[in-house]
């Protein structure tokens, strides 16, 4: 069957959400076009410096590859965090990531939870479980990753931090926050970023309208050897996100394009809510680490978790030995 776009090459990909059959080249161009459209809408092309938060997975590769197709690589700098998960974080994966980014002209900065927080994720979970806390690894990991990524963005004077969150990730996050009733966090997931603290670097998601299966196929067609191993904490203790993901995949299977529809309608709704909501100008800062925290909180969630796990002395503000 012939590609619906170029009408010259053999089609290799069927897009259920568009009904198109695409050849390999037109498929890659289709993904790049959507990433470029989303990026231009938020002004990435006008930025002087963009920090790319990369993990080494398929989305990281697609993020870097699509952005360098229309942005000068000298304006991009990558940042990777080693969480410290036994059997999951591998040195060869980081070296492969560095080699690939270097081929694109992008520098890679390395960091780790051990170096910047004082503990690996495995250590945090060990102490947390020892204290009888019912806290998932994703809660520790997500909070500290966001904090370190933002700090790195500030350190390099980035105008934006770009993450590799795809369409599946984005819609899952929307549904989760709807369930939790977190209006403020919800409207920050929309297409136009909101800056609620002078200490925040605006976070953007250029892949937010690209399906996860598309990033996987894009990486495969481009010959990337990305990490396929799933984080062991997800399989040993399924989170709300995992359950929401399963439900959304069922809906998408029954009606292709459902995820895109949810995201596009959410963006419209978020715009209306933002126009009608009085947002406070500046988030308060944590009394311990000095980083932004939620309204009404004196201590940020990250520091609170370390205190609860017995890893941080609140009075001395020092890691526990």
């Amino acid at each position: 069957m012939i590609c619906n776009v170029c009408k010259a090459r053999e089609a290799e990909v069927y897009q259920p959400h568009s009904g198109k059959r695409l050849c390999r080249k037109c498929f890659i161009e289709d993904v790049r076009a959507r990433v470029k459209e989303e990026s231009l809408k938020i002004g990435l092309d006008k930025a002087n410096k963009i920090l790319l938060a990369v993990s080494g997975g398929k989305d990281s590769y697609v993020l870097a590859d699509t952005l360098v197709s229309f942005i000068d690589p000298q304006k991009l700098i990558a940042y990777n965090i080693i969480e410290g998960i036994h059997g999951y974080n591998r040195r060869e994966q980081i070296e492969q990531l560095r080699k690939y980014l270097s081929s694109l002209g992008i520098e890679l900065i390395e960091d780790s939870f051990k170096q910047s927080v004082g503990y690996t994720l495995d250590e945090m979970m060990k102490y947390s479980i020892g204290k009888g806390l019912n806290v998932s690894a994703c809660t520790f990991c997500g909070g500290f990753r966001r904090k370190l990524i933002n700090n790195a963005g500030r350190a390099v004077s980035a105008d934006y931090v770009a993450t590799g969150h795809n369409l599946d990730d984005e819609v899952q996050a929307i549904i989760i926050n709807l369930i939790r009733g977190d209006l403020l966090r919800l409207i920050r997931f929309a297409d136009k970023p909101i800056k609620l603290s002078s200490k925040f670097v605006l976070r953007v998601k250029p892949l937010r309208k690209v399906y996860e299966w598309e990033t996987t196929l894009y990486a495969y067609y481009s010959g990337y050897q990305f990490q396929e191993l799933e984080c062991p904490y997800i399989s040993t203790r399924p989170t709300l996100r995992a359950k929401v993901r399963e439900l959304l995949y069922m809906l998408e299977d029954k009606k292709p394009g459902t995820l895109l529809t949810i995201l596009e309608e959410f963006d419209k709704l978020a715009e209306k809510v933002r126009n009608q909501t009085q947002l406070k100008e500046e988030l308060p800062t944590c009394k311990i680490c000095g980083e932004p925290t939620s309204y009404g909180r004196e201590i940020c969630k990250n520091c609170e978790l370390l205190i609860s796990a017995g890893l941080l002395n609140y009075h001395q503000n020092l890691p526990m030995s």
Side-chain angles (χ1 to χ4, degrees):
M1 191 168 291
I2 299 300
C3 173
N4 292 147
V5 176
C6 69
K7 301 188 185 303
R9 291 178 289 270
E10 190 74 18
E12 296 184 46
V13 183
Y14 174 65
Q15 282 184 328
H17 63 276
S18 70
K20 294 179 181 178
R21 286 178 167 79
L22 305 172
C23 66
R24 185 175 301 200
K25 182 177 180 180
C26 287
F27 167 73
I28 289 176
E29 288 304 316
D30 178 78
V31 172
R32 286 181 174 177
R34 274 180 282 158
V35 173
K36 183 176 182 179
E37 180 181 5
E38 194 68 23
S39 299
L40 295 182
K41 184 165 60 178
I42 53 186
L44 281 191
D45 57 316
K46 298 180 177 64
N48 292 314
K49 181 71 69 177
I50 304 167
L51 183 80
L52 308 184
V54 296
S55 66
K58 64 186 184 313
D59 297 329
S60 299
Y61 285 117
V62 176
L63 176 67
D65 194 79
T66 53
L67 289 183
V68 296
S69 68
F70 63 95
I71 292 177
D72 184 347
Q74 292 187 350
K75 294 183 176 183
L76 306 175
I77 184 166
Y79 174 71
N80 174 261
I81 303 170
I82 298 175
E83 299 91 351
I85 303 171
H86 181 70
Y88 181 67
N89 295 131
R90 299 197 302 267
R91 186 70 231 170
E92 60 267 25
Q93 173 198 345
I94 305 303
E95 290 307 316
Q96 180 184 310
L97 177 64
R98 179 185 296 281
K99 182 178 179 180
Y100 170 69
L101 291 170
S102 177
S103 72
L104 296 179
I106 301 174
E107 177 190 353
L108 175 65
I109 299 173
E110 287 187 46
D111 198 357
S112 69
F113 279 178
K114 188 69 172 179
Q115 175 180 316
S116 294
V117 180
Y119 303 95
T120 66
L121 183 59
D122 283 347
E123 289 171 339
M124 293 182 206
M125 288 304 297
K126 177 183 175 181
Y127 279 90
S128 174
I129 293 170
K131 287 286 186 178
L133 301 181
N134 186 29
V135 180
S136 72
C138 294
T139 300
F140 277 98
C141 188
F144 283 106
R145 281 184 62 83
R146 285 189 292 272
K147 180 177 181 177
L148 296 187
I149 289 169
N150 187 69
N151 289 350
R154 280 205 315 257
V156 300
S157 301
D159 300 299
Y160 295 96
V161 165
T163 67
H165 291 87
N166 55 52
L167 175 62
D168 302 43
D169 298 325
E170 194 77 340
V171 176
Q172 290 161 24
I174 289 169
I175 300 301
I176 288 170
N177 284 284
L178 275 172
I179 293 171
R180 292 173 176 167
D182 193 336
L183 178 63
L184 181 58
R185 185 176 292 274
L186 258 177
I187 60 178
R188 288 172 62 187
F189 275 103
D191 54 343
K192 297 175 184 175
I194 299 175
K195 189 170 184 176
L196 296 176
S197 171
S198 57
K199 292 191 173 186
F200 277 153
V201 180
L202 283 175
R203 214 159 57 121
V204 295
K205 304 166 187 176
L207 307 185
R208 69 193 300 269
K209 289 189 177 177
V210 181
Y211 281 89
E212 184 170 15
W213 72 263
E214 292 181 300
T215 64
T216 302
L217 195 56
Y218 185 110
Y220 172 74
Y221 279 159
S222 302
Y224 302 144
Q225 295 179 349
F226 53 86
Q227 176 167 313
E228 298 181 45
L229 183 67
E230 186 174 56
C231 174
Y233 285 111
I234 294 177
S235 56
T236 56
R237 185 177 177 182
T239 60
L240 175 59
R241 178 179 287 273
K243 296 172 184 176
V244 168
R245 177 174 60 185
E246 184 179 350
L247 173 62
L248 288 172
Y249 285 170
M250 288 174 57
L251 293 173
E252 181 71 24
D253 185 57
K254 290 182 179 296
K255 187 177 181 181
T258 294
L259 297 190
L260 269 172
T261 299
I262 291 174
L263 183 63
E264 290 169 353
E265 291 304 314
F266 170 75
D267 285 346
K268 296 175 187 176
L269 179 62
E271 183 68 23
K272 292 179 181 178
V273 172
R274 274 192 297 222
N275 292 337
Q276 298 171 7
T277 303
Q278 194 74 24
L279 295 175
K280 298 178 182 179
E281 292 185 0
E282 188 84 7
L283 287 170
T285 54
C286 175
K287 293 176 67 174
I288 295 177
C289 68
E291 293 301 313
T293 186
S294 302
Y295 296 120
R297 293 182 65 108
E298 292 187 344
I299 300 174
C300 71
K301 184 66 175 179
N302 290 329
C303 288
E304 182 184 87
L305 286 170
L306 291 180
I307 292 169
S308 299
L311 296 172
L312 183 68
N313 187 315
Y314 172 64
H315 298 292
Q316 297 179 1
N317 191 16
L318 293 171
M320 302 284 282
S321 59

